[in-house]
Amino acid sequence: MSAGRWPMPAVVELGDLGPLSGTVAEQRAGVHRILHHPGWLAKLDEQPAGQDEAVRVDELVALPTALAEDDATVLRTCTAWPAARITTSDGSAHGCVIPAVPEGSRQIGEQHVDRQSRSDRLRACRNLVAVADVLERHDLVHPDWSWNTVLWRPDVSVFVTDVDRCGRGAVPNTPFPDWDDPLTPPAQEADACTARFRVALLVTRWLTGQSEGAAAVGALADSDGLGNRGLREVLLDVLLSTRREQRPSTAELEAVLAGELYVRDGAFPGRLPLPARPVREPSASVEYLD
């Protein structure tokens, strides 16, 4: 069930939210239900933040009102987009209000990646890439594209969490084992090129049914791309390009997922070798790729 539009101002004092329920998640912040506003959560920072952080959150809160309706709908229905900045009595930024995860959503998790039908996983990936495309077109970078932040819903759409961490241009890199971009050193900020890699890797793992990154890329290379060789090629170009800035855009990936032809724009710099595969691979990918 959707929470609808946030009924309070875009900047709200913590005390004005009313009573908060028990913590429902432990991340970098405590996340609590707002009892007087069902369907909404208060995501509270451990420490008050500075002015730069307040400006960043305010820009995210205001963004949907400045977008075309289609893009605004994607953010409001497919992500936990922040609806208000939370302040303390002295005006310091202290977190944000976000929508609760829709009922029925679940984390796919590495142990469940091969349990969906071929058509369902393709539809979910289209929805996932649609979210990523909206962010990229508006110069926003989500630092954590992984199984941790992408939930699957029974209507075969996705719900992306932690989007309140998005920033313009580049954001602090969040390294994860088996999700790292080989061309983005951990000490380097994550940018649109990093996000393209992680989105493509997430799509590849989902489509192939392989939970391990190297196995997923190898299975993709051996496949017909779910009947679309252009899909295989655009994903491999993102994942293996020798130059990060020449990775195909998320818009290109979205177009190929929708059935359009994949045509490289200019001379492609070449690909890195396929990553070494694990000795043992799950067998589920054969069902979906052959």
Side-chain angles (χ1 to χ4, degrees):
M1 179 181 296
S2 172
R5 299 296 179 94
W6 173 242
M8 297 183 73
V11 179
V12 58
E13 283 196 20
L14 180 59
D16 291 337
L17 293 176
L20 305 179
S21 186
T23 299
V24 296
E26 286 292 349
Q27 304 166 12
R28 68 180 178 90
V31 182
H32 306 264
R33 295 184 182 90
I34 304 174
L35 296 184
H36 288 173
H37 299 288
W40 294 98
L41 307 174
K43 186 172 183 179
L44 304 179
D45 292 326
E46 294 178 0
Q47 300 292 332
Q51 183 61 28
D52 288 348
E53 176 68 1
V55 170
R56 184 189 68 82
V57 175
D58 285 348
E59 288 180 348
L60 294 181
V61 169
L63 182 63
T65 62
L67 299 183
E69 187 58 32
D70 287 350
D71 285 356
T73 298
V74 168
L75 295 185
R76 288 182 174 129
T77 61
C78 298
T79 77
W81 200 258
R85 172 167 59 88
I86 299 172
T87 69
T88 49
S89 57
D90 63 0
S92 300
H94 200 68
C96 57
V97 173
I98 59 174
V101 172
E103 293 180 9
S105 303
R106 62 188 178 91
Q107 196 170 46
I108 297 298
E110 304 213 350
Q111 70 273 27
H112 300 302
V113 70
D114 62 346
R115 298 185 184 179
Q116 294 172 314
S117 72
R118 178 183 178 125
S119 60
D120 280 359
R121 63 181 64 198
L122 189 57
R123 287 174 58 193
C125 286
R126 286 177 181 143
N127 187 219
L128 164 65
V129 174
V131 174
D133 179 50
V134 171
L135 296 182
E136 182 171 313
R137 283 191 284 106
H138 296 285
D139 196 30
L140 289 167
V141 176
H142 186 6
D144 180 12
W145 286 104
S146 69
W147 297 134
N148 294 327
T149 60
V150 177
L151 306 179
W152 179 81
R153 295 192 282 189
D155 63 356
V156 199
S157 64
V158 300
F159 189 78
V160 183
T161 65
D162 273 6
V163 287
D164 57 285
R165 297 170 58 196
C166 287
R168 291 199 177 276
V171 296
N173 195 4
T174 307
F176 294 97
D178 205 30
W179 290 92
D180 284 344
D181 173 4
L183 302 184
T184 303
Q188 181 176 317
E189 287 190 313
D191 59 11
C193 296
T194 317
R196 290 175 186 178
F197 176 88
R198 286 176 171 158
V199 168
L201 183 57
L202 182 54
V203 168
T204 297
R205 291 167 111 146
W206 210 331
L207 291 181
T208 62
Q210 298 281 1
S211 63
E212 199 275 340
V217 177
L220 174 69
D222 292 342
S223 77
D224 67 353
L226 292 177
N228 182 346
R229 293 187 182 277
L231 177 56
R232 179 190 66 190
E233 295 306 306
V234 70
L235 285 169
L236 289 175
D237 280 355
V238 176
L239 295 169
L240 300 177
S241 173
T242 57
R243 296 180 62 184
R244 61 196 306 277
E245 66 275 10
Q246 289 193 251
R247 289 168 173 160
S249 68
T250 306
E252 290 177 271
L253 174 56
E254 183 178 31
V256 177
L257 276 166
E260 296 184 22
L261 293 177
Y262 174 49
V263 180
R264 290 193 180 106
D265 184 12
F268 190 69
R271 291 175 178 170
L272 300 168
L274 288 172
R277 305 190 198 194
V279 176
R280 298 180 61 186
E281 298 182 14
S283 58
S285 63
V286 176
E287 177 184 348
Y288 296 103
L289 290 174
D290 285 356

